[in-house]
Amino acid sequence: MKLDNIDLQLLELLQQDSKMNVKEIATQLNLTKTPIYERIKRFEKEGIIEKYVAVLNRKIISQSMIVFCSVSLESQKIDEINAFSEAVRQIPEVMECYLMGGINDFLLKVTVKDLNAYHHFSSGKLAVLPNVGQIKSTFVLNEIKRSTVFPLSL
Amino acid sequence: MKLDNIDLQLLELLQQDSKMNVKEIATQLNLTKTPIYERIKRFEKEGIIEKYVAVLNRKIISQSMIVFCSVSLESQKIDEINAFSEAVRQIPEVMECYLMGGINDFLLKVTVKDLNAYHHFSSGKLAVLPNVGQIKSTFVLNEIKRSTVFPLSL
DNA sequence: TAGTACAAAAGGAAAATTTCCCAAAATGAA
DNA sequence: TTCATTTTGGGAAATTTTCCTTTTGTACTA
């Protein structure tokens, strides 16, 4: 799986705006629609492009609160980690979850409507999971940047 | 700006797969293409849908390292915060950046190819910004969940 | 209860885009 | 240089989007 320069430019464009039509992209990259079309199909087939999604404006839909929470487990056995991981995947408020190095904790990015909803999530959905130890919540005051574009280079 | 039940279902679908065609969505939601089409156009016009993007598979494109870094500024004056914010927005490796409550630090989610690239980012692009105090980096061992779907409800 | 006004939905037709096919050009290896 | 392979170009068919008009539904008023 190797990507040439055109591939990278194409992926960059699609990461910014997937609704651009093939002809338009072709013009920008100095090609015709067929090569662009084929490259995109290849990306989809090989899983380089996982999916296409609509990005919503968080403020308008009034899901305006983001909270990062650090969760430590009481046991770090692999089975326990897997069980917690699977449970967290089922919770829609958890938009991202990472197993962190160094401290062996999980970092969760949680989106909720307001503080009340966060309380409901934290005590009702998260703390009740088996094996959960300490939970530390830090609230986001301001979203400075949110990008979906991976920095690509050869 | 109010969203009815159909709107929420529609937004949920579009957040999961924006390439579904209008007819297909209409069938799922027991409507015809026109109302679906009009609602989508309304979302776009009013900014509820900000944009459409392609989501890439991070591992395949070998941008496989994620690092969270906490950055504290030496001065918390509003001008300094704004200057740092603006600088960070220009750095492609920084995919997300938040001003955090409690500690008045920034939390940055950084994506790089490898440890070497991270070193280059950290000391070459981040630490050199004016007013930057302490930088604490925590590396992600495993990505448990990454979702682009906001939990929506009435 | 009927009538009116307004908003939402249905259906169809035109325009635009995607998809696919085949020929031509470019690239690479022998 | 020649052959084989991959990539690109251009056009036609199929699908989808877009827009227009009619119909249905809903809520408010008399």
Side-chain angles (χ1 to χ4, degrees):
Chain A
M1 163 94 31
K2 41 194 158 184
L3 301 170
D4 65 16
N5 206 43
I6 293 170
D7 286 330
L8 295 180
Q9 290 181 65
L10 179 51
L11 286 170
E12 169 125 19
L13 285 177
L14 292 174
Q15 283 189 96
Q16 285 161 352
D17 180 7
S18 63
K19 275 281 160 60
M20 282 182 87
N21 70 49
V22 171
K23 200 173 161 187
E24 206 176 339
I25 299 173
T27 306
Q28 273 202 36
L29 301 185
N30 279 95
L31 281 167
T32 53
K33 58 189 166 27
T34 309
I36 298 298
Y37 177 75
E38 309 255 307
R39 280 165 190 261
I40 294 175
K41 287 299 143 189
R42 185 181 127 235
F43 294 154
E44 292 170 357
K45 192 179 167 194
E46 301 191 347
I48 297 177
I49 293 180
E50 269 185 20
K51 56 184 174 176
Y52 297 93
V53 306
V55 175
L56 306 192
N57 185 315
R58 223 184 59 250
K59 283 168 189 166
I60 292 182
I61 59 174
S62 77
Q63 288 283 341
S64 51
M65 178 176 258
I66 300 176
V67 185
F68 279 92
C69 54
S70 257
V71 178
S72 58
L73 299 187
E74 283 167 353
S75 152
Q76 265 87 34
K77 286 182 192 149
I78 183 73
D79 289 347
E80 308 282 3
I81 288 180
N82 287 339
F84 178 77
S85 300
E86 194 45 41
V88 152
R89 286 194 196 99
Q90 309 303 321
I91 306 177
E93 288 95 336
V94 179
M95 299 203 49
E96 302 178 29
C97 174
Y98 304 94
L99 179 60
M100 304 301 288
I103 36 180
N104 248 43
D105 276 6
F106 290 87
L107 182 64
L108 280 63
K109 181 178 148 193
V110 178
T111 306
V112 286
K113 193 165 54 181
D114 51 31
L115 199 55
N116 197 48
Y118 185 72
H119 179 235
H120 179 254
F121 160 80
S122 170
S123 55
K125 295 191 177 184
L126 186 58
V128 296
L129 294 179
N131 198 35
V132 165
Q134 200 179 28
I135 299 176
K136 269 185 264 183
S137 305
T138 316
F139 295 86
V140 169
L141 296 182
N142 192 16
E143 183 180 65
I144 309 293
K145 180 176 184 176
R146 172 173 60 130
S147 169
T148 49
V149 181
F150 285 117
L152 298 177
S153 56
L154 283 174
Chain B
M1 161 96 29
K2 39 195 158 179
L3 302 171
D4 64 17
N5 207 43
I6 292 170
D7 286 330
L8 295 179
Q9 290 181 64
L10 178 53
L11 286 170
E12 168 126 19
L13 286 177
L14 292 173
Q15 283 189 95
Q16 286 161 351
D17 179 7
S18 63
K19 275 281 160 65
M20 281 182 86
N21 68 49
V22 172
K23 201 173 159 187
E24 206 177 338
I25 298 173
T27 306
Q28 273 201 38
L29 300 187
N30 280 96
L31 282 167
T32 54
K33 57 189 166 30
T34 310
I36 299 298
Y37 176 76
E38 309 246 301
R39 281 164 190 262
I40 294 174
K41 286 299 143 189
R42 185 181 126 233
F43 295 155
E44 292 170 357
K45 191 179 168 195
E46 302 193 345
I48 297 177
I49 295 180
E50 269 185 21
K51 56 184 173 176
Y52 297 93
V53 306
V55 175
L56 306 191
N57 185 315
R58 223 184 59 251
K59 284 170 189 165
I60 292 182
I61 59 174
S62 77
Q63 288 281 344
S64 50
M65 180 176 257
I66 299 176
V67 186
F68 280 91
C69 54
S70 256
V71 178
S72 58
L73 299 187
E74 284 168 352
S75 152
Q76 264 87 34
K77 284 181 193 148
I78 183 72
D79 288 347
E80 308 282 3
I81 287 180
N82 288 339
F84 178 78
S85 300
E86 195 45 43
V88 151
R89 286 196 195 98
Q90 309 303 320
I91 307 177
E93 288 94 335
V94 179
M95 299 206 44
E96 301 177 31
C97 175
Y98 304 93
L99 179 60
M100 304 303 287
I103 37 180
N104 248 42
D105 276 5
F106 290 86
L107 182 65
L108 280 63
K109 182 178 147 192
V110 178
T111 305
V112 287
K113 195 165 53 180
D114 52 32
L115 198 56
N116 197 47
Y118 185 71
H119 179 235
H120 179 255
F121 160 81
S122 170
S123 55
K125 295 191 177 184
L126 187 58
V128 296
L129 295 179
N131 197 34
V132 165
Q134 200 180 27
I135 300 176
K136 271 185 262 184
S137 305
T138 317
F139 295 86
V140 169
L141 296 181
N142 192 16
E143 182 180 67
I144 310 293
K145 179 176 185 177
R146 172 174 59 130
S147 169
T148 49
V149 181
F150 285 117
L152 298 177
S153 57
L154 283 175

